[in-house]
Amino acid sequence: MRPATLRGHCLAFPGSEETFPFGPETSVFKVGGKMFALSQLAERPLRVSLKCEPLLAEQLREAHSAVIPGYHLNKRHWNTVTIDGSLPEQMIKDMIEDSYDLVVSQLPVSRRSARSSTD
């Protein structure tokens, strides 16, 4: 997966936006004002940090060396995924979608409704 593909996939979800609260080199993808992915798109190897259910986060780390506890994030709820070709692209896309869905599910109902009305 290339940086442009990663960025495009993150921005393809309803209500998603790219912000730069940590500086111009770090893309932070949010929905409803809450982060669901972040990546330094110009860095090599390419990595993306994603929110994840704690039990699943542990299982993914145990099963895949490219998945580690979230770098500079709550390690219980975040994984950092190194995009080095060891994981299928569809698996990475599914993890991004799961992160997005998890964040949306935690938004207040009023913000979920407003987000889905922009679909």
Side-chain angles (χ1 to χ4, degrees):
M1 179 179 288
R2 295 177 182 219
T5 304
L6 174 63
R7 182 178 183 272
H9 188 68
C10 289
L11 291 173
F13 298 105
S16 66
E17 63 178 337
E18 182 178 21
T19 65
F20 300 91
F22 306 120
E25 69 283 344
T26 304
S27 294
V28 177
F29 300 96
K30 296 181 178 182
V31 61
K34 301 291 183 179
M35 181 171 65
F36 70 92
L38 84 144
S39 180
Q40 292 185 336
L41 296 172
E43 290 293 311
R44 296 297 169 266
L46 182 59
R47 291 185 293 267
V48 62
S49 293
L50 302 165
K51 195 156 190 175
C52 191
E53 290 285 348
L55 182 59
L56 178 58
E58 288 181 29
Q59 292 170 346
L60 288 168
R61 293 173 200 159
E62 289 173 10
H64 307 284
S65 62
V67 182
I68 61 172
Y71 183 70
H72 287 303
L73 296 162
N74 181 328
K75 291 169 183 11
R76 184 165 185 260
H77 296 278
W78 289 85
N79 279 338
T80 296
V81 179
T82 301
I83 302 172
D84 60 4
S86 65
L87 298 174
E89 186 169 316
Q90 188 57 52
M91 182 179 179
I92 296 166
K93 288 180 175 183
D94 290 345
M95 286 191 278
I96 295 168
E97 184 175 2
D98 289 348
S99 180
Y100 171 87
D101 289 342
L102 183 60
V103 171
V104 168
S105 75
Q106 295 171 342
L107 291 174
V109 174
S110 62
R111 291 176 78 185
R112 274 186 262 162
S113 299
R115 184 207 52 82
S116 60
S117 69
T118 63
D119 294 351

